Amino acid sequence: MTPPRRQPARRRTAALATVPVAVAALLGAAGPAAPGTTGASGAGDPYFPLSGNGGYHVRHYGLTLRYDTSSRRLDATAVLTARATQRLTRFDLDLKGLKVTSVTVDRATAAFRRDGQELVITPRHALRRGRGFRVAVAYHGTPEPVTDPDGSADGWIPTDDGAFVAGEPQGAMTWFPADGHPKDKASYDFTITVPKGRTAVANGVLLGQHTAHDTTTFRWRETRPMAAYLATATIGKFQVERYTTRDGIQVYNAVDAREARAAAPVLRELPSVLEWESTLFGPYPFRAAGSIVDHAPDVGYALETQTRPVYDSAPDLPTLVHENAHQWFGDSVSLTTWKDIWLNEGFATYAEWLYTEQHGGRSAQRAFDALYARPASDGLWAYPPGDPGSGARIFGTPVYARGAMALHELRRAVGDRDFLRILRAWATGHRGGHGTTAQFVRLAERTSGKQLEGLLRTWLYAPGKPDSP
């Protein structure tokens, strides 16, 4: 995600993390396992305790959606293919605000109830550990965004011609039942029916579209593992451009006509940006790429939805670089806890610095120096990027800018050759999976042969402005 333009929504304050807590985070700590035969109602994330669920792993989502842009009504069915990781007599899915009409588990009717954002499901028969099972949920209603701890809108956000769908960190539950934490990644199929004249854009490859009478149905497929917050089903009146890069990546750009003129020169750079990022970070991790450029002036941010970032307006080139760097850092290599979000945003921000440096602009050192010149009272130093302290602060300046500064200090410590080897090894070694700060530190030390824990603890976890480098 790029730093939002609506700054007050992203600048709330909370208590600073203490150094002992930060050190524990650096070394890594496992969360508690769910006891008994009831799946936990959350994945154990300290910032979003009800996000995700326990007791199972979703392998695939099949989402069939019909959206009326006039009434803003969504009629949908979600079919989840999952595997029990413990014996289950009951389990939860995250779903907020929509009316559920039926639930089946392995085609047998299951009991269900609502408890806040939890859809609590009791199958007819207990599910043994290791068993694969299939959950089908039929639901409908008017999806509305959730308000995040920082005050911003997240999820299914209505627009004047459709919907801007961006789910970070918890908005997936506003439009489909999910195991909504980045720990759980799955493949996806989308079948989206919208009024004729509208385009529905999701993740992955477009399998086909068909118009009948007054509606058009779009079928999309993302076969690579994807966290729920990175799914999209953005709908609008879009101009569509399709082509294949020389590396075989299928590009699909959907642009609102009101943004087309401003977006065109930036989107033309997408193939070269992907090629440059692939040179640094390793092969592009997906089959498809592209952009969704909506006209959504009330949103205030862009998001790295997997394979196809969604922008609330025409992006500039640094934003394009940032959101596509996330395809490696954040999408392919995902978080295990939201307090590690610097692994997403610090890396994508530093990719901007590197791109500028290697394309005739200011050096990363000058970018670092300009930030370091800010006084100790500046918001940049308000809290450490490695543990922002709460969900209200995960999209704040320290996570982005000081996170990038931490990477620059690492680069200075190990040299350019080893630094680029570390970035590439991180992206390729954890491809399609997850990573933690502790794992990144170990990789950096192993690659460089240097002790780096003290340096990274200072830049990622120490409160206040670090001493002059």
Side-chain angles (χ1 to χ4, degrees):
M1 180 183 284
T2 47
R5 290 186 288 277
R6 293 185 297 151
Q7 294 299 325
R10 296 297 194 190
R11 296 291 181 92
R12 296 187 180 183
T13 59
L16 287 173
T18 63
V19 172
V21 171
V23 173
L26 185 64
L27 297 176
T37 62
T38 299
S41 60
D45 194 285
Y47 291 177
F48 298 94
L50 291 179
S51 178
N53 300 284
Y56 63 92
H57 160 58
V58 181
R59 294 174 171 174
H60 183 74
Y61 290 87
L63 304 179
T64 302
L65 313 172
R66 177 180 290 267
Y67 188 64
D68 186 327
T69 54
S70 296
S71 67
R72 294 185 173 176
R73 177 185 169 98
L74 176 69
D75 291 277
T77 301
V79 178
L80 286 64
T81 304
R83 180 181 59 84
T85 57
Q86 65 180 70
R87 187 173 186 272
L88 287 175
T89 57
R90 192 179 75 204
F91 61 92
D92 288 16
L93 292 169
D94 298 325
L95 183 66
K96 184 176 177 64
L98 297 166
K99 181 178 177 59
V100 175
T101 55
S102 71
V103 177
T104 63
V105 176
D106 291 335
R107 296 184 172 83
T109 301
F112 65 91
R113 61 181 174 85
R114 307 299 295 274
D115 183 9
Q117 72 179 56
E118 302 297 313
L119 173 61
V120 184
I121 299 171
T122 303
R124 185 173 298 180
H125 303 290
L127 304 170
R128 70 178 184 277
R129 180 178 179 180
R131 173 183 166 179
F133 63 98
R134 181 177 178 270
V135 184
V137 181
Y139 58 101
H140 66 263
T142 302
E144 296 180 354
V146 64
T147 300
D148 289 328
D150 65 2
S152 60
D154 169 20
W156 191 284
I157 304 172
T159 62
D160 61 1
D161 62 355
F164 181 97
V165 183
E168 188 180 29
Q170 56 182 341
M173 65 181 176
T174 66
W175 60 286
F176 69 98
D179 189 358
H181 191 276
K183 283 182 179 179
D184 201 52
K185 299 169 71 169
S187 58
Y188 283 73
D189 276 288
F190 305 83
T191 301
I192 311 170
T193 300
V194 293
K196 183 179 178 180
R198 302 299 201 275
T199 300
V201 191
N203 311 86
V205 174
L206 179 66
L207 299 181
Q209 66 185 73
H210 174 71
T211 299
H213 305 295
D214 58 353
T215 63
T216 303
T217 298
F218 296 82
R219 294 186 300 114
W220 294 88
R221 175 170 293 165
E222 172 55 294
T223 59
R224 303 291 171 85
M226 179 168 72
Y229 82 88
L230 295 169
T232 189
T234 294
I235 297 164
K237 295 179 179 178
F238 294 126
Q239 299 175 0
V240 173
E241 175 189 31
R242 301 179 67 180
Y243 60 89
T244 301
T245 70
R246 62 185 181 183
D247 293 328
I249 301 167
Q250 298 182 43
V251 175
Y252 187 105
N253 292 326
V255 183
D256 188 295
R258 292 166 287 186
E259 304 291 340
R261 183 174 180 180
V266 178
L267 297 188
R268 278 198 294 269
E269 299 299 320
L270 179 59
S272 65
V273 166
L274 293 177
E275 185 174 351
W276 176 81
E277 291 177 333
S278 297
T279 300
L280 264 64
F281 311 140
Y284 182 71
F286 308 114
R287 291 178 56 201
S291 308
I292 307 170
V293 182
D294 208 344
H295 180 75
D298 294 331
V299 171
Y301 60 83
L303 179 65
E304 61 273 15
T305 46
Q306 189 159 306
T307 70
R308 194 162 292 108
V310 58
Y311 305 93
D312 66 326
S313 61
D316 58 17
L317 184 55
T319 302
L320 188 85
V321 171
H322 182 107
E323 301 303 339
N324 283 284
H326 274 309
Q327 304 305 309
W328 285 263
F329 306 113
D331 293 13
S332 177
V333 184
S334 298
L335 302 175
T336 57
T337 177
W338 281 108
K339 71 180 180 181
D340 270 347
I341 193 170
W342 85 276
L343 290 169
N344 293 8
E345 301 302 348
F347 283 52
T349 301
Y350 200 73
E352 293 182 55
W353 295 10
L354 287 173
Y355 187 88
T356 300
E357 177 179 87
Q358 295 185 19
H359 289 80
R362 73 174 181 177
S363 68
Q365 183 63 53
R366 286 181 58 199
F368 178 99
D369 291 343
L371 288 167
Y372 193 79
R374 296 185 183 184
S377 59
D378 189 86
L380 172 63
W381 317 112
Y383 51 88
D387 190 356
S390 74
R393 303 165 98 181
I394 61 176
F395 300 118
T397 299
V399 171
Y400 290 73
R402 186 171 160 182
M405 294 174 81
L407 288 172
H408 189 71
E409 283 295 274
L410 173 64
R411 177 184 176 184
R412 284 162 49 94
V414 304
D416 283 5
R417 178 176 176 272
D418 278 349
F419 178 70
L420 293 176
R421 287 176 61 204
I422 290 165
L423 292 187
R424 190 179 183 96
W426 180 251
T428 57
H430 293 265
R431 184 181 175 110
H434 297 82
T436 67
T437 298
Q439 290 171 328
F440 180 73
V441 173
R442 288 194 291 268
L443 171 67
E445 290 185 331
R446 186 169 63 249
T447 302
S448 67
K450 296 185 177 182
Q451 294 295 319
L452 300 166
E453 184 180 329
L455 172 76
L456 290 171
R457 182 188 299 117
T458 295
W459 279 92
L460 294 175
Y461 295 111
K465 182 177 179 178
D467 292 336
S468 179

